[in-house]
Amino acid sequence: MIMGRGLVNRLLALIAAPAALALPSFAQAEDGYQLWLRYEPLEGAALERLHGFGPQRLPSDLLWAQQSPTLDAASRELIRGFAGLESDNWAVPGGTRDKKASSRQILLSCPDNRGDGNVAFTVKSERRDIRIRGSSDLACLYGAYALLRELSQSHDPTKIDLNERPAMPLRMLDNWDDPDGYVLRGYSGRSIYDWWKLPEHLDQRLVDYARANASIGINGVVVNNVNASALFLTDRYVPKLARVADAWRPYGIRLYISARFSAPKDVGGLPSADPLDPAVQAWWKARADALYAAIPDFGGFLVKANSEGEPGPQDYRRTHADGANALARAIGNRGVVIWRAFVYSAEDQTDRAKQAYNEFVPLDGKFDANVILQVKNGPIDFQPREPFHPLFGSMPHTRLMFEGQITKEYLGQATHLAYLAPYWKEVLGADTGRGGTVAQVIAPAGMAGVANTGSDRNWSGSHFNQANWYAFGRLAWDPNLSAEQIAREWAAQTFSRAPQFLDKVVPMMIASRQAVADYMTPLGLTHQMATGHHYGPGPWICDLQRPEWNPCYYSKADKGGIGFDRTAGGSNALSQYAPSVAAQWTDPKAIDEDYLLWFHHVPWDFRMKSGKPLWSELIQRYDRGIATADEMAQTWASLQGYIDPERFTDTADYLRIQQEDARWWRDASIANWQSINGLPLPAGTRPPEHPLDYYKALAFPEAPGE
Ligand code: GCW
């Protein structure tokens, strides 16, 4: 019986390596590919507790009523997880079930009723067994991951008592990947999809991707860029997409594509893509039918229309609702059309922050039931901090979905450490003043994150960027989880479960996003990045063709002051919020100063809550950001003993880059503001290292996105 051998191995291991109980030694560097699914051996008391759980020593069987590819995935995961956590090979040979051999069991009760989308589960320790009860096989897969997440954190196996269901039906990732392998705003290598070799060859990475996504509750993936290629709507791509969808089905991941609105013309041979033209409607219906014939659970279309040069219904003087409904009728009750609200036009130059609201609120109630409007977290564009988007709560007759950007285009991309759960929670927890928080408004629809995944071995460009992928899934599952809890469980699974490590790394992660906001765009400044790469500072830029692409449009800095007046005296964007919400932001003396310059234009000597003039406070915020970046590097250096050398060094290198870049942002920004306000630096302030012209002349043709 396997159990005996496991015990002997364990005893040998304990005799041979008593020192290993204190700090792990790292025979092998890790490249991060395993993400948070490492199942590192438990040690000491935690290991003994798991071994000693129940009267017998090991869970030696998995029992379930029926078989399905999803339950096979669950059992493979449990075997892998227990084998890792208990560091022996108790695995059931070949994953088969042998009832006789088992004395302690993991019981899965999972009826086959996935159809109703119910994935609620319970996981409970029952005497000597662990029972996972789900309302479908997918629920049991989620339960298996939840159990392993608990055990990986060395929680007591005899006290497991989980009862979970997701807060929202759609928990999605949007890949911005092009068919040629380029990833727009991707900082982690090339695309993971090799459309050239599909459908004949399916890379194992795509299965690993589904597994990682399922482990955090993600249940839908859009495989291509919203700036969409019409290729994805051709016959040639149907079998390619079907092969991927087949690989993902056991993990509960539904496949979606971004649909190019002009596809009827581009690849359909029609003279127009007018959504009210019956020939165009018939074309979309035929495409949807072809996709559903090959992929019965195809998720639907994501559409970016009439935004940043993409085609859309307005090209034919039709509304966004006309466009969305045409596609939604082609899909019917088989899936959804997710229509993006990220629109802004060159013509309306009053305030970009107001445009999506003005465009879409009049369309409330005009969208078909299977249309979902996808709204970015804030009214501009994934900046380090934005107030919540005023559309949330303003369209009671339309299902709204939250869009966040995991890939950190504006928060230091691959290198800077910025843990985004506090950011997303700031938005999800905001009270719209119109019947609930943002999280409540989106609950009937869901959340989509622009993915940070690519071909890099570590998937996400940096080890800490994995935390944002993880956190996004966990928050879509349960927006009430705290940013701290998510950071802690992620770091415990990804790096080390030692409390001394977690007690340092979690606060470091929590502070990181505010640090980035401070050294890039403090006090509510926004959109100050350089054109093209969007990585470094460019606050001086004022000559781009479209006014709202210029940082100066957003800072409105002049000799008299700085900030965008969005009060009644200015653009009055404040009036788009519920009165109770607007009231918090109306008075520059009372506002949370993190939003001050978002809503107000104030003089350089404006008295801040600290009593200091704005100019001093602004500089202090940049310096505070740098100080936090410095602290993060120190904290990390102190944690060397807990991390394998490869991931330790990668992270240390990136933190050094972040320290340098924080100074670059601060110095370039201060030099720029000084050139505008002509003020001396407050006493004791370190002057920028270089003159403004130096920063202006920097060019980075090698930067991603250039
Ligand atoms: O933030 C901007 C990016 C664009 C992107 C756009 C969008 C897909 O810079 O590259 O295009 O957002 O969300 O549509």
Side-chain angles (χ1 to χ4, degrees), residues 23-26 495-496 501 504 633-649 652:
L23 269 188
S25 67
F26 301 102
F495 287 123
S496 162
F501 170 80
K504 283 186 159 192
Q634 281 158 20
T635 302
W636 188 251
S638 76
L639 297 174
Q640 180 156 19
Y642 295 96
I643 320 286
D644 60 285
E646 183 170 344
R647 293 187 301 161
F648 175 80
T649 308

Side-chain angles (χ1 to χ4, degrees), residues 300-322:
F301 298 136
L302 170 66
V303 187
K304 172 176 176 178
N306 294 120
S307 166
E308 300 187 328
E310 295 302 304
Q314 293 176 339
D315 304 348
Y316 304 93
R317 296 173 188 273
R318 310 299 186 196
T319 68
H320 282 286
D322 294 330

Side-chain angles (χ1 to χ4, degrees), residues 441-454:
V441 167
I442 63 164
M447 286 171 60
V450 180
N452 63 1
T453 44

Side-chain angles (χ1 to χ4, degrees), residues 36 149 211-218 469-470 472-474 477:
W36 46 86
R149 181 158 50 236
R211 173 178 164 243
N213 278 327
S215 77
I216 50 174
I218 297 284
W469 176 9
Y470 182 90
F472 195 88
R474 297 287 285 138
W477 183 270

Side-chain angles (χ1 to χ4, degrees), residues 255 262 265 312 379 393 499 568 573:
L255 182 145
S262 56
K265 263 169 58 182

Side-chain angles (χ1 to χ4, degrees), residues 57-92:
R57 292 218 154 220
L58 286 169
S60 57
D61 204 356
L62 299 166
L63 295 181
W64 58 94
Q66 74 276 338
Q67 232 179 330
S68 79
T70 297
L71 288 175
D72 286 346
S75 72
R76 274 198 307 276
E77 198 68 36
L78 288 166
I79 289 166
R80 190 198 295 234
F82 274 92
L85 291 167
E86 298 198 298
S87 64
D88 54 28
N89 41 19
W90 70 274
V92 182

